[in-house]
Each structure stands twice: as structure tokens, then as C-alpha cells.
Amino acid sequence: MRKLKEFPRIETERLILSQLKEEDIPSVTKYLQNKIFSDLTSNIPYPYTREHAEFWLKISKEAFDENTGYTFAVRNKEEQIIGAVGLHDRDDDKAELGYWMGKSFWNKGYITEAAVALIDFGFRELEINKIYATYFLHNPASGRIMEKIGMEKEALLKQHLKKDDEYFDVLMYSVFKNKR
């Protein structure tokens, strides 16, 4: 993953993708209170506390500083955070895509719009060759997003993620730089 000196700002038709800020912590904490986020993701705990949001902000900044990841706040044009999207380095010129969106903003195409912009950024600016994502089988909406952004189903990974002492199968989707 190519190192950038400054955290980028990406604008799309309806959104601004920018660095997470301290003032985002109350909104992030509020959005992620809903247990559905813990149920549908591998790394969002429940109950979600302010301390979780502060830690996430800290590790997101460290990932940028160490050139291992880019976590963007997804903001509306008024600069209010409504979700997040990120690319995290997995060596060998590949990165994992992850995302979440505040529940009141679901089904409006925001994650699709943000993820398309982030994939383009990853291929163009970070010189990544492969971007992939996984989702729990009980979250097919995430798979539909992956298909909308041009990813193709690559593999069923059996008992790939462990959460709350239970193992889960996940589907992995991917897209390649030379296939865009």
C-alpha cells in the first residue's frame, strides 16, 4: 500500500469521505448502540460504548500513521458523520474493505456510493491490486452491496470468523485493479 503524507478527502455526488475526528465520537457511539451492528459484523461489540468509539478512533489514526489502513468517516454534505468505510492492508498488494452506516441512513445507496469511491482510491492512489470483503451469511444485504460495487463472489470460507465463542462461515467477494 503506497504511503500518503496527508489523510485524503474524497468527495462524491452526495458524500464526503474524510478522516475521523474527536467530535465524531458521540455520533458513532449513538449509531452503534443498535445491537444489529454487533449481530451483522465481526468487530463491533455490544453494548457499544464511548470508550469503544475512542479506541476505534485511536487505532484508525495509528493505522494511517503506520500505513496499514485508511478508515474514512462517511459524511453528508453538511459534514455530519453518517457511517464509515475503510481499506486495510493485508500485504501482497491487497486490502480488505469494511463499512457500516447508521441505521437511519440505510437503503439510500450511501455505502455503495462511498465504497465505489474508496475502491477507485485504493486502485489509483494506493496502488492496490486486489480489494476484498467478507460478510456473514445472515447479512445478505452486505453481499448485494458487494455485487453493486463490482465485486465478484470468490469463496465460501467455512468457520472463518469466531464471534462470541461461535464460528461463522463467511462469503468473500473481491475485485481486481486490472478488471475495472
Side-chain angles (χ1 to χ4, degrees), residues 20-33 48-58 73 75 81 100:
L20 292 164
K21 302 182 280 198
E22 287 285 327
E23 49 268 32
D24 295 330
I25 289 173
S27 295
V28 169
T29 304
K30 186 179 113 196
Y31 292 143
L32 297 180
Q33 286 301 308
Y48 195 86
T49 65
R50 180 179 177 89
E51 289 73 25
H52 290 122
E54 289 168 348
F55 178 71
W56 180 58
L57 189 81
K58 178 179 174 283
R75 302 179 191 283
I81 187 168
W100 64 265

Side-chain angles (χ1 to χ4, degrees), residues 70-138:
Y70 289 81
T71 300
F72 289 84
V74 176
R75 302 179 191 283
N76 59 23
K77 291 295 184 173
E78 289 76 46
E79 303 257 354
Q80 299 165 303
I81 187 168
I82 60 173
V85 64
L87 283 176
H88 296 278
D89 193 358
R90 298 297 184 244
D91 297 324
D92 295 332
D93 296 329
K94 65 181 175 286
E96 184 173 16
L97 172 71
Y99 45 80
W100 64 265
M101 179 65 49
K103 196 161 189 307
S104 59
F105 305 103
W106 287 10
N107 300 313
K108 294 177 173 46
Y110 292 137
I111 281 297
T112 301
E113 186 174 326
V116 165
L118 196 59
I119 288 170
D120 290 342
F121 165 79
F123 289 147
R124 192 180 61 254
E125 300 296 326
L126 302 179
E127 300 173 351
I128 294 169
N129 178 59
K130 175 182 179 176
I131 296 173
Y132 70 94
T134 61
Y135 72 92
F136 288 134
L137 300 183
H138 59 268

Side-chain angles (χ1 to χ4, degrees), residues 59-78:
I59 63 171
S60 295
K61 184 181 179 333
E62 288 170 359
F64 172 72
D65 292 343
E66 296 166 8
N67 198 39
T68 59
Y70 289 81
T71 300
F72 289 84
V74 176
R75 302 179 191 283
N76 59 23
K77 291 295 184 173
E78 289 76 46

